[in-house]
Amino acid sequence: MITVWLLCTLALTGEVSLDKLCTYHDVIDYLNLTGNNDMYISSRPVRDWRTTTEVHLDINLYAILGVIEKSQIFIPFLWTFLTWTNELISWDPNQFCGILQISLPKEKLWRPDLFVYEMTEKDRSPESPYMYISHNGTVTMEDDLVIASTCNMDVHKFPFDTQSCVLTFGSVLHIGKELQFIPVSNSSRATETSMKVIRSQGEWEFLNITVAKSKLSFNRGEWDQVKYTITMKRRPLLHVINFLLPILFFLTLDLASFFIADMKGEKLGFKVTVLLAISVLLLILNDILPSMSNKTPLIATYCIVIFAFMLLSLLETILVTFLMEKDCAPDWPTEGDSQCVTEDYKRTLDGTCEHECKGQRESCTCSCGVDVKVESEQWTPGAAQLTDTQTLQLILEELQEIRRNFSPHTMGVGKKKPLYWGRIARRLNAGFFCFYLITISLFLALIFFEWMA
């Protein structure tokens, strides 16, 4: 009597419960999952083989780990939720202290063979070892997926592009009559949930997820599939700062080089240096863009056209420099003519040529064809002595005459009009600069309009 009274007192105070004590292991023993469980893992868990197993699928995007344009690989981090009914498992919660669900190792029960058709590498994420089983036979399995999948990327507007990568979930073994996938969330709900849970986007900005059902027909029948289309937009700031703006700066430097003097070699060397810098950026671009694309990327057109204009500018500078040097270079006589001029000059100094030209008023031509200035009056011993000022004046006149006779623009056989080629070079340079500036401005306006469209 004392013992019964004590137990009742403790029960009323809440220290001891008179309810039956239960464990999860009791439910597992009741379901006979501790012994030979081939019945639960060998085939679909249905009582009638004609019954279709419905698998409810829900996908959430947790992170965008990588988008590789060169090989067109998309690497997402996904949360997957699978729910289906196992008709061979059930228990009464009232018989087991109200236990509604238990957790079991995954290898204890049959699981649908969920497969991503675009997957190129095996899932690298650690697999969750357990699944939940409810008292009515509902099985819930949550898992993480890190997969490398193929994605048909359109890089025409790189780096202002938007990519849509499709992930197709389905079964490889079971056809649609046996296994059917039903998406839990529609497009708006899947997008909203992913926006809340996403943690890492990197270079890409997640936009939305589109959910759609599809069928895959093959020889043996039709396979049920669920397609999740993940749309994301690239953040272009890094590529604009590291790639587009430097090329634009090099183009500005090339335009500024037109104000460097053409007669100096610095202008030609400067343009060659800028052209080599553009070539280095083109090599970097080759490592980013894919080898094949449906359309030529606009950034490739942008670089190639600017490279072509700068190459044309370099060729124009070479031509202008050649014309300038041609205009300034003297037409030196040939070796025979040079010897002839030297001999006539000597004959002029010793008076022989002057004797031959005696009686002529201004000048005469010696045997080799050199015009020699001859004084109309000969100096005689009786002439008045010249003053120092007059002597210096005569020496200055003689030096000016020699300078005119031996000037690079007047010396030699083939005389031409002074600075003729220089005027042509300056006109060519001014015309090409105007053409260059107008054409490159129109091109930049068109390509940036196409980028932003």
Side-chain angles (χ1 to χ4, degrees), residues 93-111:
N94 296 326
Q95 297 180 4
F96 297 95
C97 308
I99 297 177
L100 298 177
Q101 65 178 10
I102 61 173
S103 60
L104 277 179
K106 288 183 176 180
E107 60 270 10
K108 293 290 185 178
L109 293 177
W110 175 91
R111 292 175 292 167

mmCIF file of all heavy atoms in Angstrom, residues 93-111:
data_model
loop_
_atom_site.group_PDB
_atom_site.id
_atom_site.type_symbol
_atom_site.label_atom_id
_atom_site.label_comp_id
_atom_site.label_asym_id
_atom_site.label_seq_id
_atom_site.Cartn_x
_atom_site.Cartn_y
_atom_site.Cartn_z
ATOM 1 N N PRO A 93 1.168 4.906 -34.184
ATOM 2 C CA PRO A 93 1.910 5.692 -33.189
ATOM 3 C C PRO A 93 1.424 5.460 -31.765
ATOM 4 O O PRO A 93 2.212 5.584 -30.804
ATOM 5 C CB PRO A 93 1.671 7.136 -33.626
ATOM 6 C CG PRO A 93 1.306 7.058 -35.059
ATOM 7 C CD PRO A 93 0.578 5.764 -35.227
ATOM 8 N N ASN A 94 0.143 5.124 -31.578
ATOM 9 C CA ASN A 94 -0.372 4.906 -30.221
ATOM 10 C C ASN A 94 0.266 3.704 -29.552
ATOM 11 O O ASN A 94 0.328 3.628 -28.320
ATOM 12 C CB ASN A 94 -1.886 4.738 -30.264
ATOM 13 C CG ASN A 94 -2.578 5.999 -30.758
ATOM 14 O OD1 ASN A 94 -2.112 7.108 -30.483
ATOM 15 N ND2 ASN A 94 -3.665 5.844 -31.499
ATOM 16 N N GLN A 95 0.724 2.747 -30.344
ATOM 17 C CA GLN A 95 1.356 1.562 -29.782
ATOM 18 C C GLN A 95 2.818 1.792 -29.429
ATOM 19 O O GLN A 95 3.427 0.957 -28.740
ATOM 20 C CB GLN A 95 1.244 0.389 -30.757
ATOM 21 C CG GLN A 95 -0.179 -0.048 -31.047
ATOM 22 C CD GLN A 95 -0.227 -1.211 -32.016
ATOM 23 O OE1 GLN A 95 0.795 -1.749 -32.424
ATOM 24 N NE2 GLN A 95 -1.451 -1.608 -32.385
ATOM 25 N N PHE A 96 3.377 2.909 -29.914
ATOM 26 C CA PHE A 96 4.802 3.181 -29.670
ATOM 27 C C PHE A 96 4.976 4.577 -29.084
ATOM 28 O O PHE A 96 5.824 5.358 -29.533
ATOM 29 C CB PHE A 96 5.596 3.038 -30.974
ATOM 30 C CG PHE A 96 5.565 1.662 -31.555
ATOM 31 C CD1 PHE A 96 4.633 1.323 -32.538
ATOM 32 C CD2 PHE A 96 6.438 0.680 -31.111
ATOM 33 C CE1 PHE A 96 4.598 0.048 -33.073
ATOM 34 C CE2 PHE A 96 6.409 -0.590 -31.643
ATOM 35 C CZ PHE A 96 5.484 -0.926 -32.628
ATOM 36 N N CYS A 97 4.155 4.851 -28.073
ATOM 37 C CA CYS A 97 4.309 6.094 -27.294
ATOM 38 C C CYS A 97 4.191 7.355 -28.147
ATOM 39 O O CYS A 97 4.849 8.373 -27.868
ATOM 40 C CB CYS A 97 5.623 6.092 -26.538
ATOM 41 S SG CYS A 97 5.900 4.615 -25.536
ATOM 42 N N GLY A 98 3.454 7.303 -29.234
ATOM 43 C CA GLY A 98 3.255 8.472 -30.089
ATOM 44 C C GLY A 98 4.402 8.783 -31.019
ATOM 45 O O GLY A 98 4.512 9.925 -31.520
ATOM 46 N N ILE A 99 5.281 7.848 -31.295
ATOM 47 C CA ILE A 99 6.387 8.074 -32.234
ATOM 48 C C ILE A 99 5.816 8.190 -33.653
ATOM 49 O O ILE A 99 5.200 7.259 -34.158
ATOM 50 C CB ILE A 99 7.423 6.937 -32.167
ATOM 51 C CG1 ILE A 99 8.074 6.889 -30.784
ATOM 52 C CG2 ILE A 99 8.492 7.114 -33.248
ATOM 53 C CD1 ILE A 99 9.068 5.758 -30.603
ATOM 54 N N LEU A 100 6.027 9.342 -34.290
ATOM 55 C CA LEU A 100 5.476 9.587 -35.626
ATOM 56 C C LEU A 100 6.472 9.281 -36.733
ATOM 57 O O LEU A 100 6.068 8.926 -37.847
ATOM 58 C CB LEU A 100 5.004 11.038 -35.744
ATOM 59 C CG LEU A 100 3.872 11.445 -34.795
ATOM 60 C CD1 LEU A 100 3.548 12.916 -34.974
ATOM 61 C CD2 LEU A 100 2.620 10.598 -35.044
ATOM 62 N N GLN A 101 7.764 9.457 -36.471
ATOM 63 C CA GLN A 101 8.770 9.199 -37.501
ATOM 64 C C GLN A 101 10.076 8.772 -36.870
ATOM 65 O O GLN A 101 10.361 9.091 -35.712
ATOM 66 C CB GLN A 101 8.986 10.424 -38.402
ATOM 67 C CG GLN A 101 9.567 11.633 -37.682
ATOM 68 C CD GLN A 101 9.812 12.798 -38.615
ATOM 69 O OE1 GLN A 101 9.383 12.769 -39.758
ATOM 70 N NE2 GLN A 101 10.495 13.818 -38.127
ATOM 71 N N ILE A 102 10.839 8.053 -37.647
ATOM 72 C CA ILE A 102 12.157 7.594 -37.215
ATOM 73 C C ILE A 102 13.153 7.852 -38.340
ATOM 74 O O ILE A 102 12.767 8.093 -39.503
ATOM 75 C CB ILE A 102 12.146 6.091 -36.860
ATOM 76 C CG1 ILE A 102 11.756 5.263 -38.090
ATOM 77 C CG2 ILE A 102 11.237 5.819 -35.680
ATOM 78 C CD1 ILE A 102 11.880 3.763 -37.878
ATOM 79 N N SER A 103 14.426 7.815 -38.006
ATOM 80 C CA SER A 103 15.484 7.963 -39.001
ATOM 81 C C SER A 103 16.191 6.632 -39.180
ATOM 82 O O SER A 103 16.435 5.910 -38.215
ATOM 83 C CB SER A 103 16.491 9.029 -38.577
ATOM 84 O OG SER A 103 17.096 8.676 -37.356
ATOM 85 N N LEU A 104 16.510 6.346 -40.447
ATOM 86 C CA LEU A 104 17.167 5.089 -40.787
ATOM 87 C C LEU A 104 18.328 5.359 -41.733
ATOM 88 O O LEU A 104 18.304 6.331 -42.511
ATOM 89 C CB LEU A 104 16.181 4.136 -41.464
ATOM 90 C CG LEU A 104 15.249 3.302 -40.582
ATOM 91 C CD1 LEU A 104 14.350 2.458 -41.478
ATOM 92 C CD2 LEU A 104 16.026 2.410 -39.638
ATOM 93 N N PRO A 105 19.329 4.514 -41.727
ATOM 94 C CA PRO A 105 20.374 4.627 -42.766
ATOM 95 C C PRO A 105 19.784 4.417 -44.152
ATOM 96 O O PRO A 105 18.841 3.654 -44.334
ATOM 97 C CB PRO A 105 21.356 3.511 -42.397
ATOM 98 C CG PRO A 105 21.128 3.263 -40.952
ATOM 99 C CD PRO A 105 19.669 3.508 -40.712
ATOM 100 N N LYS A 106 20.328 5.094 -45.123
ATOM 101 C CA LYS A 106 19.772 5.063 -46.475
ATOM 102 C C LYS A 106 19.836 3.673 -47.098
ATOM 103 O O LYS A 106 18.980 3.320 -47.925
ATOM 104 C CB LYS A 106 20.525 6.058 -47.364
ATOM 105 C CG LYS A 106 20.219 7.507 -47.058
ATOM 106 C CD LYS A 106 20.935 8.428 -48.028
ATOM 107 C CE LYS A 106 20.562 9.882 -47.780
ATOM 108 N NZ LYS A 106 21.240 10.807 -48.713
ATOM 109 N N GLU A 107 20.828 2.907 -46.729
ATOM 110 C CA GLU A 107 20.966 1.596 -47.355
ATOM 111 C C GLU A 107 19.941 0.587 -46.837
ATOM 112 O O GLU A 107 19.879 -0.543 -47.337
ATOM 113 C CB GLU A 107 22.375 1.044 -47.128
ATOM 114 C CG GLU A 107 22.770 0.864 -45.682
ATOM 115 C CD GLU A 107 23.422 2.095 -45.086
ATOM 116 O OE1 GLU A 107 23.380 3.152 -45.773
ATOM 117 O OE2 GLU A 107 23.968 2.000 -43.984
ATOM 118 N N LYS A 108 19.114 0.979 -45.863
ATOM 119 C CA LYS A 108 18.113 0.061 -45.325
ATOM 120 C C LYS A 108 16.852 -0.017 -46.185
ATOM 121 O O LYS A 108 16.094 -0.992 -46.085
ATOM 122 C CB LYS A 108 17.716 0.496 -43.904
ATOM 123 C CG LYS A 108 18.817 0.360 -42.862
ATOM 124 C CD LYS A 108 19.119 -1.098 -42.563
ATOM 125 C CE LYS A 108 20.137 -1.221 -41.433
ATOM 126 N NZ LYS A 108 20.416 -2.634 -41.102
ATOM 127 N N LEU A 109 16.593 1.012 -47.012
ATOM 128 C CA LEU A 109 15.354 1.062 -47.786
ATOM 129 C C LEU A 109 15.645 1.379 -49.245
ATOM 130 O O LEU A 109 16.722 1.885 -49.602
ATOM 131 C CB LEU A 109 14.406 2.126 -47.212
ATOM 132 C CG LEU A 109 13.821 1.874 -45.817
ATOM 133 C CD1 LEU A 109 12.978 3.054 -45.389
ATOM 134 C CD2 LEU A 109 13.008 0.586 -45.786
ATOM 135 N N TRP A 110 14.671 1.094 -50.066
ATOM 136 C CA TRP A 110 14.748 1.441 -51.490
ATOM 137 C C TRP A 110 14.720 2.952 -51.673
ATOM 138 O O TRP A 110 13.994 3.665 -50.972
ATOM 139 C CB TRP A 110 13.564 0.793 -52.215
ATOM 140 C CG TRP A 110 13.472 1.172 -53.673
ATOM 141 C CD1 TRP A 110 14.031 0.530 -54.726
ATOM 142 C CD2 TRP A 110 12.749 2.285 -54.226
ATOM 143 N NE1 TRP A 110 13.734 1.156 -55.905
ATOM 144 C CE2 TRP A 110 12.931 2.243 -55.625
ATOM 145 C CE3 TRP A 110 11.974 3.305 -53.664
ATOM 146 C CZ2 TRP A 110 12.368 3.183 -56.488
ATOM 147 C CZ3 TRP A 110 11.426 4.248 -54.509
ATOM 148 C CH2 TRP A 110 11.625 4.175 -55.910
ATOM 149 N N ARG A 111 15.509 3.419 -52.628
ATOM 150 C CA ARG A 111 15.548 4.851 -52.954
ATOM 151 C C ARG A 111 15.425 5.027 -54.459
ATOM 152 O O ARG A 111 15.930 4.208 -55.234
ATOM 153 C CB ARG A 111 16.875 5.472 -52.497
ATOM 154 C CG ARG A 111 17.060 5.551 -51.010
ATOM 155 C CD ARG A 111 18.451 6.053 -50.686
ATOM 156 N NE ARG A 111 19.492 5.084 -51.068
ATOM 157 C CZ ARG A 111 20.793 5.357 -51.127
ATOM 158 N NH1 ARG A 111 21.210 6.570 -50.858
ATOM 159 N NH2 ARG A 111 21.644 4.425 -51.467
#
